[in-house]
Structures are given as C-alpha cells and as structure tokens.
PDB file of all heavy atoms in Angstrom:
ATOM      1  N   ARG S   1     120.977  82.188 121.055  1.00  0.00           N
ATOM      2  CA  ARG S   1     120.565  81.018 121.772  1.00  0.00           C
ATOM      3  C   ARG S   1     120.675  81.177 123.306  1.00  0.00           C
ATOM      4  O   ARG S   1     119.876  80.639 124.035  1.00  0.00           O
ATOM      5  CB  ARG S   1     121.336  79.749 121.329  1.00  0.00           C
ATOM      6  CG  ARG S   1     120.991  79.267 120.039  1.00  0.00           C
ATOM      7  CD  ARG S   1     121.682  77.934 119.675  1.00  0.00           C
ATOM      8  NE  ARG S   1     121.287  77.465 118.365  1.00  0.00           N
ATOM      9  CZ  ARG S   1     122.068  77.535 117.269  1.00  0.00           C
ATOM     10  NH1 ARG S   1     123.349  77.994 117.368  1.00  0.00           N
ATOM     11  NH2 ARG S   1     121.656  77.167 116.109  1.00  0.00           N
ATOM     12  N   SER S   2     121.753  81.906 123.721  1.00  0.00           N
ATOM     13  CA  SER S   2     121.936  82.149 125.175  1.00  0.00           C
ATOM     14  C   SER S   2     120.890  83.142 125.761  1.00  0.00           C
ATOM     15  O   SER S   2     120.644  83.084 126.971  1.00  0.00           O
ATOM     16  CB  SER S   2     123.377  82.553 125.471  1.00  0.00           C
ATOM     17  OG  SER S   2     123.567  83.893 125.010  1.00  0.00           O
ATOM     18  N   MET S   3     120.408  83.994 124.895  1.00  0.00           N
ATOM     19  CA  MET S   3     119.522  85.103 125.422  1.00  0.00           C
ATOM     20  C   MET S   3     118.098  84.787 125.221  1.00  0.00           C
ATOM     21  O   MET S   3     117.287  85.295 125.979  1.00  0.00           O
ATOM     22  CB  MET S   3     119.838  86.386 124.678  1.00  0.00           C
ATOM     23  CG  MET S   3     121.273  86.903 124.955  1.00  0.00           C
ATOM     24  SD  MET S   3     121.570  88.439 124.088  1.00  0.00           S
ATOM     25  CE  MET S   3     120.608  89.596 125.024  1.00  0.00           C
ATOM     26  N   ALA S   4     117.713  83.921 124.268  1.00  0.00           N
ATOM     27  CA  ALA S   4     116.343  83.644 123.948  1.00  0.00           C
ATOM     28  C   ALA S   4     116.073  82.240 124.308  1.00  0.00           C
ATOM     29  O   ALA S   4     116.809  81.347 124.159  1.00  0.00           O
ATOM     30  CB  ALA S   4     116.097  83.877 122.493  1.00  0.00           C
ATOM     31  N   PRO S   5     114.782  81.997 124.828  1.00  0.00           N
ATOM     32  CA  PRO S   5     114.419  80.571 125.085  1.00  0.00           C
ATOM     33  C   PRO S   5     114.376  79.811 123.771  1.00  0.00           C
ATOM     34  O   PRO S   5     114.265  80.345 122.648  1.00  0.00           O
ATOM     35  CB  PRO S   5     112.982  80.772 125.659  1.00  0.00           C
ATOM     36  CG  PRO S   5     112.554  82.052 125.391  1.00  0.00           C
ATOM     37  CD  PRO S   5     113.734  82.949 125.155  1.00  0.00           C
ATOM     38  N   ALA S   6     114.508  78.500 123.905  1.00  0.00           N
ATOM     39  CA  ALA S   6     114.695  77.642 122.690  1.00  0.00           C
ATOM     40  C   ALA S   6     113.502  77.800 121.708  1.00  0.00           C
ATOM     41  O   ALA S   6     113.736  77.792 120.509  1.00  0.00           O
ATOM     42  CB  ALA S   6     114.733  76.146 123.167  1.00  0.00           C
ATOM     43  N   ARG S   7     112.329  78.022 122.179  1.00  0.00           N
ATOM     44  CA  ARG S   7     111.187  78.184 121.251  1.00  0.00           C
ATOM     45  C   ARG S   7     110.866  79.685 121.048  1.00  0.00           C
ATOM     46  O   ARG S   7     109.913  79.950 120.415  1.00  0.00           O
ATOM     47  CB  ARG S   7     109.968  77.485 121.810  1.00  0.00           C
ATOM     48  CG  ARG S   7     110.175  76.013 122.039  1.00  0.00           C
ATOM     49  CD  ARG S   7     110.544  75.208 120.860  1.00  0.00           C
ATOM     50  NE  ARG S   7     109.393  74.891 120.042  1.00  0.00           N
ATOM     51  CZ  ARG S   7     109.396  74.500 118.777  1.00  0.00           C
ATOM     52  NH1 ARG S   7     110.533  74.371 118.165  1.00  0.00           N
ATOM     53  NH2 ARG S   7     108.287  74.219 118.139  1.00  0.00           N
ATOM     54  N   GLY S   8     111.729  80.559 121.484  1.00  0.00           N
ATOM     55  CA  GLY S   8     111.505  81.975 121.324  1.00  0.00           C
ATOM     56  C   GLY S   8     112.509  82.719 120.424  1.00  0.00           C
ATOM     57  O   GLY S   8     112.590  83.937 120.404  1.00  0.00           O
ATOM     58  N   GLN S   9     113.365  81.901 119.708  1.00  0.00           N
ATOM     59  CA  GLN S   9     114.448  82.616 118.968  1.00  0.00           C
ATOM     60  C   GLN S   9     113.935  83.410 117.759  1.00  0.00           C
ATOM     61  O   GLN S   9     114.449  84.501 117.464  1.00  0.00           O
ATOM     62  CB  GLN S   9     115.438  81.508 118.556  1.00  0.00           C
ATOM     63  CG  GLN S   9     116.174  80.903 119.665  1.00  0.00           C
ATOM     64  CD  GLN S   9     117.031  79.736 119.207  1.00  0.00           C
ATOM     65  OE1 GLN S   9     117.071  79.375 118.059  1.00  0.00           O
ATOM     66  NE2 GLN S   9     117.661  79.069 120.244  1.00  0.00           N
ATOM     67  N   SER S  10     112.824  82.920 117.120  1.00  0.00           N
ATOM     68  CA  SER S  10     112.303  83.619 116.079  1.00  0.00           C
ATOM     69  C   SER S  10     111.725  84.994 116.462  1.00  0.00           C
ATOM     70  O   SER S  10     111.903  86.080 115.821  1.00  0.00           O
ATOM     71  CB  SER S  10     111.182  82.843 115.369  1.00  0.00           C
ATOM     72  OG  SER S  10     111.723  81.706 114.684  1.00  0.00           O
ATOM     73  N   GLN S  11     111.049  85.008 117.612  1.00  0.00           N
ATOM     74  CA  GLN S  11     110.509  86.205 118.205  1.00  0.00           C
ATOM     75  C   GLN S  11     111.645  87.179 118.614  1.00  0.00           C
ATOM     76  O   GLN S  11     111.554  88.366 118.348  1.00  0.00           O
ATOM     77  CB  GLN S  11     109.697  85.955 119.420  1.00  0.00           C
ATOM     78  CG  GLN S  11     108.970  87.180 119.983  1.00  0.00           C
ATOM     79  CD  GLN S  11     108.129  86.907 121.199  1.00  0.00           C
ATOM     80  OE1 GLN S  11     107.753  85.768 121.521  1.00  0.00           O
ATOM     81  NE2 GLN S  11     107.633  87.946 121.798  1.00  0.00           N
ATOM     82  N   PHE S  12     112.654  86.628 119.141  1.00  0.00           N
ATOM     83  CA  PHE S  12     113.836  87.460 119.587  1.00  0.00           C
ATOM     84  C   PHE S  12     114.453  88.147 118.326  1.00  0.00           C
ATOM     85  O   PHE S  12     114.699  89.374 118.363  1.00  0.00           O
ATOM     86  CB  PHE S  12     114.839  86.526 120.184  1.00  0.00           C
ATOM     87  CG  PHE S  12     116.071  87.253 120.682  1.00  0.00           C
ATOM     88  CD1 PHE S  12     116.135  87.816 121.966  1.00  0.00           C
ATOM     89  CD2 PHE S  12     117.192  87.433 119.878  1.00  0.00           C
ATOM     90  CE1 PHE S  12     117.238  88.454 122.403  1.00  0.00           C
ATOM     91  CE2 PHE S  12     118.314  88.110 120.275  1.00  0.00           C
ATOM     92  CZ  PHE S  12     118.409  88.604 121.593  1.00  0.00           C
ATOM     93  N   VAL S  13     114.667  87.382 117.257  1.00  0.00           N
ATOM     94  CA  VAL S  13     115.210  88.003 116.030  1.00  0.00           C
ATOM     95  C   VAL S  13     114.243  88.950 115.425  1.00  0.00           C
ATOM     96  O   VAL S  13     114.719  90.105 114.990  1.00  0.00           O
ATOM     97  CB  VAL S  13     115.542  86.804 115.006  1.00  0.00           C
ATOM     98  CG1 VAL S  13     116.006  87.425 113.679  1.00  0.00           C
ATOM     99  CG2 VAL S  13     116.729  85.981 115.588  1.00  0.00           C
ATOM    100  N   ALA S  14     113.011  88.664 115.443  1.00  0.00           N
ATOM    101  CA  ALA S  14     111.981  89.564 114.898  1.00  0.00           C
ATOM    102  C   ALA S  14     111.964  90.923 115.658  1.00  0.00           C
ATOM    103  O   ALA S  14     111.985  92.005 115.051  1.00  0.00           O
ATOM    104  CB  ALA S  14     110.604  88.975 114.912  1.00  0.00           C
ATOM    105  N   GLU S  15     112.023  90.902 117.004  1.00  0.00           N
ATOM    106  CA  GLU S  15     112.084  92.100 117.835  1.00  0.00           C
ATOM    107  C   GLU S  15     113.369  92.874 117.536  1.00  0.00           C
ATOM    108  O   GLU S  15     113.360  94.066 117.476  1.00  0.00           O
ATOM    109  CB  GLU S  15     111.889  91.694 119.265  1.00  0.00           C
ATOM    110  CG  GLU S  15     110.539  91.298 119.612  1.00  0.00           C
ATOM    111  CD  GLU S  15     110.394  90.801 121.077  1.00  0.00           C
ATOM    112  OE1 GLU S  15     111.366  90.896 121.853  1.00  0.00           O
ATOM    113  OE2 GLU S  15     109.343  90.259 121.418  1.00  0.00           O
ATOM    114  N   ALA S  16     114.509  92.121 117.364  1.00  0.00           N
ATOM    115  CA  ALA S  16     115.743  92.838 117.154  1.00  0.00           C
ATOM    116  C   ALA S  16     115.653  93.560 115.819  1.00  0.00           C
ATOM    117  O   ALA S  16     116.193  94.667 115.697  1.00  0.00           O
ATOM    118  CB  ALA S  16     116.877  91.818 117.183  1.00  0.00           C
ATOM    119  N   LEU S  17     115.147  92.856 114.789  1.00  0.00           N
ATOM    120  CA  LEU S  17     115.007  93.495 113.498  1.00  0.00           C
ATOM    121  C   LEU S  17     114.101  94.704 113.492  1.00  0.00           C
ATOM    122  O   LEU S  17     114.412  95.735 112.885  1.00  0.00           O
ATOM    123  CB  LEU S  17     114.514  92.487 112.399  1.00  0.00           C
ATOM    124  CG  LEU S  17     115.557  91.411 112.036  1.00  0.00           C
ATOM    125  CD1 LEU S  17     114.947  90.335 111.237  1.00  0.00           C
ATOM    126  CD2 LEU S  17     116.727  92.071 111.354  1.00  0.00           C
ATOM    127  N   ARG S  18     112.954  94.541 114.213  1.00  0.00           N
ATOM    128  CA  ARG S  18     112.083  95.780 114.351  1.00  0.00           C
ATOM    129  C   ARG S  18     112.777  96.913 115.006  1.00  0.00           C
ATOM    130  O   ARG S  18     112.644  98.096 114.529  1.00  0.00           O
ATOM    131  CB  ARG S  18     110.833  95.381 115.172  1.00  0.00           C
ATOM    132  CG  ARG S  18     109.835  94.582 114.368  1.00  0.00           C
ATOM    133  CD  ARG S  18     108.510  94.449 115.198  1.00  0.00           C
ATOM    134  NE  ARG S  18     107.646  93.531 114.432  1.00  0.00           N
ATOM    135  CZ  ARG S  18     107.521  92.271 114.769  1.00  0.00           C
ATOM    136  NH1 ARG S  18     108.097  91.720 115.783  1.00  0.00           N
ATOM    137  NH2 ARG S  18     106.651  91.467 114.031  1.00  0.00           N
ATOM    138  N   ALA S  19     113.548  96.655 116.026  1.00  0.00           N
ATOM    139  CA  ALA S  19     114.275  97.720 116.741  1.00  0.00           C
ATOM    140  C   ALA S  19     115.333  98.355 115.781  1.00  0.00           C
ATOM    141  O   ALA S  19     115.476  99.559 115.785  1.00  0.00           O
ATOM    142  CB  ALA S  19     114.967  97.181 118.014  1.00  0.00           C
ATOM    143  N   TYR S  20     116.003  97.549 115.038  1.00  0.00           N
ATOM    144  CA  TYR S  20     117.032  98.011 114.093  1.00  0.00           C
ATOM    145  C   TYR S  20     116.380  98.885 113.053  1.00  0.00           C
ATOM    146  O   TYR S  20     116.882 100.006 112.687  1.00  0.00           O
ATOM    147  CB  TYR S  20     117.781  96.861 113.442  1.00  0.00           C
ATOM    148  CG  TYR S  20     118.839  97.352 112.462  1.00  0.00           C
ATOM    149  CD1 TYR S  20     120.060  97.787 112.939  1.00  0.00           C
ATOM    150  CD2 TYR S  20     118.510  97.250 111.144  1.00  0.00           C
ATOM    151  CE1 TYR S  20     121.009  98.204 111.966  1.00  0.00           C
ATOM    152  CE2 TYR S  20     119.476  97.717 110.198  1.00  0.00           C
ATOM    153  CZ  TYR S  20     120.689  98.186 110.610  1.00  0.00           C
ATOM    154  OH  TYR S  20     121.626  98.621 109.692  1.00  0.00           O
ATOM    155  N   ILE S  21     115.227  98.400 112.446  1.00  0.00           N
ATOM    156  CA  ILE S  21     114.576  99.158 111.414  1.00  0.00           C
ATOM    157  C   ILE S  21     114.026 100.454 111.946  1.00  0.00           C
ATOM    158  O   ILE S  21     114.178 101.524 111.316  1.00  0.00           O
ATOM    159  CB  ILE S  21     113.451  98.288 110.824  1.00  0.00           C
ATOM    160  CG1 ILE S  21     113.977  97.141 109.991  1.00  0.00           C
ATOM    161  CG2 ILE S  21     112.490  99.167 109.969  1.00  0.00           C
ATOM    162  CD1 ILE S  21     113.008  96.055 109.622  1.00  0.00           C
ATOM    163  N   ALA S  22     113.447 100.490 113.176  1.00  0.00           N
ATOM    164  CA  ALA S  22     112.959 101.717 113.819  1.00  0.00           C
ATOM    165  C   ALA S  22     114.122 102.707 113.962  1.00  0.00           C
ATOM    166  O   ALA S  22     113.945 103.929 113.696  1.00  0.00           O
ATOM    167  CB  ALA S  22     112.301 101.417 115.069  1.00  0.00           C
ATOM    168  N   GLU S  23     115.281 102.250 114.410  1.00  0.00           N
ATOM    169  CA  GLU S  23     116.453 103.085 114.601  1.00  0.00           C
ATOM    170  C   GLU S  23     116.891 103.722 113.225  1.00  0.00           C
ATOM    171  O   GLU S  23     117.211 104.904 113.163  1.00  0.00           O
ATOM    172  CB  GLU S  23     117.565 102.390 115.276  1.00  0.00           C
ATOM    173  CG  GLU S  23     118.858 103.169 115.442  1.00  0.00           C
ATOM    174  CD  GLU S  23     118.637 104.478 116.198  1.00  0.00           C
ATOM    175  OE1 GLU S  23     117.726 104.620 117.079  1.00  0.00           O
ATOM    176  OE2 GLU S  23     119.358 105.487 115.917  1.00  0.00           O
ATOM    177  N   GLN S  24     116.941 102.914 112.219  1.00  0.00           N
ATOM    178  CA  GLN S  24     117.330 103.359 110.917  1.00  0.00           C
ATOM    179  C   GLN S  24     116.349 104.401 110.392  1.00  0.00           C
ATOM    180  O   GLN S  24     116.744 105.371 109.804  1.00  0.00           O
ATOM    181  CB  GLN S  24     117.411 102.158 109.914  1.00  0.00           C
ATOM    182  CG  GLN S  24     118.577 101.199 110.209  1.00  0.00           C
ATOM    183  CD  GLN S  24     119.923 101.907 110.196  1.00  0.00           C
ATOM    184  OE1 GLN S  24     120.274 102.618 109.365  1.00  0.00           O
ATOM    185  NE2 GLN S  24     120.669 101.686 111.324  1.00  0.00           N
ATOM    186  N   GLN S  25     115.017 104.143 110.625  1.00  0.00           N
ATOM    187  CA  GLN S  25     114.003 105.142 110.151  1.00  0.00           C
ATOM    188  C   GLN S  25     114.141 106.460 110.915  1.00  0.00           C
ATOM    189  O   GLN S  25     114.066 107.543 110.346  1.00  0.00           O
ATOM    190  CB  GLN S  25     112.656 104.574 110.357  1.00  0.00           C
ATOM    191  CG  GLN S  25     112.360 103.468 109.346  1.00  0.00           C
ATOM    192  CD  GLN S  25     111.025 102.706 109.645  1.00  0.00           C
ATOM    193  OE1 GLN S  25     110.544 102.685 110.765  1.00  0.00           O
ATOM    194  NE2 GLN S  25     110.427 102.191 108.595  1.00  0.00           N
ATOM    195  N   ARG S  26     114.446 106.358 112.268  1.00  0.00           N
ATOM    196  CA  ARG S  26     114.703 107.591 113.065  1.00  0.00           C
ATOM    197  C   ARG S  26     115.901 108.336 112.514  1.00  0.00           C
ATOM    198  O   ARG S  26     115.876 109.583 112.422  1.00  0.00           O
ATOM    199  CB  ARG S  26     114.823 107.273 114.521  1.00  0.00           C
ATOM    200  CG  ARG S  26     113.542 107.086 115.272  1.00  0.00           C
ATOM    201  CD  ARG S  26     113.740 107.049 116.751  1.00  0.00           C
ATOM    202  NE  ARG S  26     114.564 105.881 117.108  1.00  0.00           N
ATOM    203  CZ  ARG S  26     114.100 104.624 117.437  1.00  0.00           C
ATOM    204  NH1 ARG S  26     112.853 104.375 117.300  1.00  0.00           N
ATOM    205  NH2 ARG S  26     114.924 103.708 117.792  1.00  0.00           N
ATOM    206  N   ARG S  27     116.930 107.643 112.209  1.00  0.00           N
ATOM    207  CA  ARG S  27     118.223 108.259 111.736  1.00  0.00           C
ATOM    208  C   ARG S  27     117.964 108.923 110.420  1.00  0.00           C
ATOM    209  O   ARG S  27     118.388 110.019 110.144  1.00  0.00           O
ATOM    210  CB  ARG S  27     119.316 107.198 111.540  1.00  0.00           C
ATOM    211  CG  ARG S  27     120.582 107.769 111.125  1.00  0.00           C
ATOM    212  CD  ARG S  27     121.730 106.786 111.129  1.00  0.00           C
ATOM    213  NE  ARG S  27     122.122 106.470 112.471  1.00  0.00           N
ATOM    214  CZ  ARG S  27     122.215 105.231 113.004  1.00  0.00           C
ATOM    215  NH1 ARG S  27     121.988 104.201 112.223  1.00  0.00           N
ATOM    216  NH2 ARG S  27     122.599 105.054 114.263  1.00  0.00           N
ATOM    217  N   SER S  28     117.228 108.253 109.515  1.00  0.00           N
ATOM    218  CA  SER S  28     116.873 108.842 108.210  1.00  0.00           C
ATOM    219  C   SER S  28     116.087 110.102 108.346  1.00  0.00           C
ATOM    220  O   SER S  28     116.359 111.103 107.658  1.00  0.00           O
ATOM    221  CB  SER S  28     116.181 107.776 107.379  1.00  0.00           C
ATOM    222  OG  SER S  28     115.762 108.386 106.159  1.00  0.00           O
ATOM    223  N   LEU S  29     115.044 110.081 109.212  1.00  0.00           N
ATOM    224  CA  LEU S  29     114.230 111.214 109.413  1.00  0.00           C
ATOM    225  C   LEU S  29     115.102 112.384 109.964  1.00  0.00           C
ATOM    226  O   LEU S  29     114.930 113.504 109.575  1.00  0.00           O
ATOM    227  CB  LEU S  29     113.092 110.906 110.353  1.00  0.00           C
ATOM    228  CG  LEU S  29     112.210 112.050 110.852  1.00  0.00           C
ATOM    229  CD1 LEU S  29     111.554 112.696 109.624  1.00  0.00           C
ATOM    230  CD2 LEU S  29     111.186 111.605 111.864  1.00  0.00           C
ATOM    231  N   ARG S  30     115.904 112.038 110.985  1.00  0.00           N
ATOM    232  CA  ARG S  30     116.724 113.098 111.567  1.00  0.00           C
ATOM    233  C   ARG S  30     117.643 113.752 110.526  1.00  0.00           C
ATOM    234  O   ARG S  30     117.761 114.985 110.422  1.00  0.00           O
ATOM    235  CB  ARG S  30     117.597 112.513 112.719  1.00  0.00           C
ATOM    236  CG  ARG S  30     118.425 113.497 113.525  1.00  0.00           C
ATOM    237  CD  ARG S  30     119.172 112.805 114.605  1.00  0.00           C
ATOM    238  NE  ARG S  30     118.452 111.861 115.412  1.00  0.00           N
ATOM    239  CZ  ARG S  30     118.614 110.585 115.497  1.00  0.00           C
ATOM    240  NH1 ARG S  30     119.629 109.991 114.819  1.00  0.00           N
ATOM    241  NH2 ARG S  30     117.868 109.775 116.241  1.00  0.00           N
ATOM    242  N   GLU S  31     118.242 112.961 109.625  1.00  0.00           N
ATOM    243  CA  GLU S  31     119.074 113.442 108.550  1.00  0.00           C
ATOM    244  C   GLU S  31     118.273 114.270 107.577  1.00  0.00           C
ATOM    245  O   GLU S  31     118.744 115.388 107.147  1.00  0.00           O
ATOM    246  CB  GLU S  31     119.736 112.328 107.843  1.00  0.00           C
ATOM    247  CG  GLU S  31     120.857 111.647 108.672  1.00  0.00           C
ATOM    248  CD  GLU S  31     121.371 110.374 107.976  1.00  0.00           C
ATOM    249  OE1 GLU S  31     120.883 110.004 106.932  1.00  0.00           O
ATOM    250  OE2 GLU S  31     122.260 109.739 108.625  1.00  0.00           O
ATOM    251  N   ARG S  32     117.043 113.918 107.222  1.00  0.00           N
ATOM    252  CA  ARG S  32     116.193 114.731 106.344  1.00  0.00           C
ATOM    253  C   ARG S  32     115.841 116.030 106.992  1.00  0.00           C
ATOM    254  O   ARG S  32     115.773 117.045 106.322  1.00  0.00           O
ATOM    255  CB  ARG S  32     115.009 113.911 105.926  1.00  0.00           C
ATOM    256  CG  ARG S  32     115.309 112.779 104.929  1.00  0.00           C
ATOM    257  CD  ARG S  32     114.094 112.123 104.386  1.00  0.00           C
ATOM    258  NE  ARG S  32     113.047 111.982 105.411  1.00  0.00           N
ATOM    259  CZ  ARG S  32     112.408 110.890 105.840  1.00  0.00           C
ATOM    260  NH1 ARG S  32     112.734 109.788 105.127  1.00  0.00           N
ATOM    261  NH2 ARG S  32     111.515 110.864 106.774  1.00  0.00           N
ATOM    262  N   LEU S  33     115.527 115.959 108.303  1.00  0.00           N
ATOM    263  CA  LEU S  33     115.130 117.194 109.023  1.00  0.00           C
ATOM    264  C   LEU S  33     116.318 118.203 109.009  1.00  0.00           C
ATOM    265  O   LEU S  33     116.148 119.370 108.803  1.00  0.00           O
ATOM    266  CB  LEU S  33     114.629 116.913 110.393  1.00  0.00           C
ATOM    267  CG  LEU S  33     113.246 116.283 110.476  1.00  0.00           C
ATOM    268  CD1 LEU S  33     113.015 115.763 111.984  1.00  0.00           C
ATOM    269  CD2 LEU S  33     112.179 117.234 109.986  1.00  0.00           C
ATOM    270  N   ILE S  34     117.490 117.671 109.359  1.00  0.00           N
ATOM    271  CA  ILE S  34     118.685 118.564 109.363  1.00  0.00           C
ATOM    272  C   ILE S  34     118.901 119.144 108.024  1.00  0.00           C
ATOM    273  O   ILE S  34     119.161 120.313 107.874  1.00  0.00           O
ATOM    274  CB  ILE S  34     119.909 117.744 109.824  1.00  0.00           C
ATOM    275  CG1 ILE S  34     119.779 117.425 111.368  1.00  0.00           C
ATOM    276  CG2 ILE S  34     121.189 118.515 109.595  1.00  0.00           C
ATOM    277  CD1 ILE S  34     120.747 116.446 111.861  1.00  0.00           C
ATOM    278  N   ALA S  35     118.829 118.323 106.947  1.00  0.00           N
ATOM    279  CA  ALA S  35     119.021 118.885 105.583  1.00  0.00           C
ATOM    280  C   ALA S  35     117.981 119.936 105.283  1.00  0.00           C
ATOM    281  O   ALA S  35     118.347 121.008 104.657  1.00  0.00           O
ATOM    282  CB  ALA S  35     118.980 117.681 104.580  1.00  0.00           C
ATOM    283  N   GLY S  36     116.787 119.686 105.631  1.00  0.00           N
ATOM    284  CA  GLY S  36     115.690 120.673 105.372  1.00  0.00           C
ATOM    285  C   GLY S  36     115.947 122.010 106.058  1.00  0.00           C
ATOM    286  O   GLY S  36     115.766 123.040 105.520  1.00  0.00           O
ATOM    287  N   TYR S  37     116.318 121.858 107.379  1.00  0.00           N
ATOM    288  CA  TYR S  37     116.583 123.118 108.173  1.00  0.00           C
ATOM    289  C   TYR S  37     117.787 123.766 107.583  1.00  0.00           C
ATOM    290  O   TYR S  37     117.740 125.092 107.463  1.00  0.00           O
ATOM    291  CB  TYR S  37     116.839 122.737 109.648  1.00  0.00           C
ATOM    292  CG  TYR S  37     115.614 122.314 110.346  1.00  0.00           C
ATOM    293  CD1 TYR S  37     115.645 121.187 111.147  1.00  0.00           C
ATOM    294  CD2 TYR S  37     114.405 123.070 110.308  1.00  0.00           C
ATOM    295  CE1 TYR S  37     114.485 120.810 111.869  1.00  0.00           C
ATOM    296  CE2 TYR S  37     113.303 122.659 110.978  1.00  0.00           C
ATOM    297  CZ  TYR S  37     113.346 121.575 111.796  1.00  0.00           C
ATOM    298  OH  TYR S  37     112.216 121.218 112.477  1.00  0.00           O
ATOM    299  N   GLN S  38     118.828 123.109 107.265  1.00  0.00           N
ATOM    300  CA  GLN S  38     120.015 123.770 106.667  1.00  0.00           C
ATOM    301  C   GLN S  38     119.644 124.409 105.240  1.00  0.00           C
ATOM    302  O   GLN S  38     120.157 125.519 104.994  1.00  0.00           O
ATOM    303  CB  GLN S  38     121.085 122.796 106.458  1.00  0.00           C
ATOM    304  CG  GLN S  38     121.738 122.329 107.779  1.00  0.00           C
ATOM    305  CD  GLN S  38     122.756 121.263 107.661  1.00  0.00           C
ATOM    306  OE1 GLN S  38     122.833 120.543 106.675  1.00  0.00           O
ATOM    307  NE2 GLN S  38     123.599 121.090 108.676  1.00  0.00           N
ATOM    308  N   ALA S  39     118.817 123.774 104.476  1.00  0.00           N
ATOM    309  CA  ALA S  39     118.415 124.319 103.193  1.00  0.00           C
ATOM    310  C   ALA S  39     117.653 125.606 103.355  1.00  0.00           C
ATOM    311  O   ALA S  39     117.771 126.490 102.492  1.00  0.00           O
ATOM    312  CB  ALA S  39     117.640 123.294 102.394  1.00  0.00           C
ATOM    313  N   SER S  40     116.823 125.734 104.397  1.00  0.00           N
ATOM    314  CA  SER S  40     116.012 126.893 104.533  1.00  0.00           C
ATOM    315  C   SER S  40     116.630 127.927 105.565  1.00  0.00           C
ATOM    316  O   SER S  40     115.964 128.980 105.807  1.00  0.00           O
ATOM    317  CB  SER S  40     114.552 126.514 105.009  1.00  0.00           C
ATOM    318  OG  SER S  40     114.629 125.932 106.256  1.00  0.00           O
ATOM    319  N   ALA S  41     117.767 127.644 106.092  1.00  0.00           N
ATOM    320  CA  ALA S  41     118.368 128.500 107.047  1.00  0.00           C
ATOM    321  C   ALA S  41     118.585 129.992 106.621  1.00  0.00           C
ATOM    322  O   ALA S  41     118.307 130.924 107.247  1.00  0.00           O
ATOM    323  CB  ALA S  41     119.639 128.001 107.532  1.00  0.00           C
ATOM    324  N   ALA S  42     119.081 130.121 105.333  1.00  0.00           N
ATOM    325  CA  ALA S  42     119.343 131.489 104.787  1.00  0.00           C
ATOM    326  C   ALA S  42     118.019 132.263 104.614  1.00  0.00           C
ATOM    327  O   ALA S  42     117.998 133.354 105.065  1.00  0.00           O
ATOM    328  CB  ALA S  42     120.019 131.345 103.431  1.00  0.00           C
TER     329      ALA S  42
END
C-alpha cells in the first residue's frame, strides 16, 4: 500500500509475481545447464 497507488496494487502485485517467476525460471535454467555441463565434462 505504501509503494503502490491505491488503484495500482493489483498491477504492483502482478509485476512482482512476474519478476519472481522469471527469476525462478532463470535459476532453474542455470541449474539445468550446470548439471548438463557437469554430466558431459568427462
């Protein structure tokens, strides 16, 4: 409420969720890439 305008709270939460989801997807991709590189290192 202190950061978003009274009529913009839904948009604020939606943007925060999108950012969180994007970060989780990047983290998952990074972990899969690391696992793949480690699996084929030998």
Side-chain angles (χ1 to χ4, degrees):
R1 285 187 182 106
S2 72
M3 296 180 74
R7 303 300 276 161
Q9 294 171 2
S10 291
Q11 182 178 352
F12 182 90
V13 171
E15 289 174 8
L17 288 171
R18 281 188 188 100
Y20 178 80
I21 290 167
E23 176 58 31
Q24 293 302 310
Q25 289 171 333
R26 280 191 297 273
R27 180 174 290 130
S28 174
L29 175 60
R30 189 177 311 116
E31 289 170 359
R32 289 188 319 235
L33 288 171
I34 289 170
Y37 288 133
Q38 289 173 341
S40 64

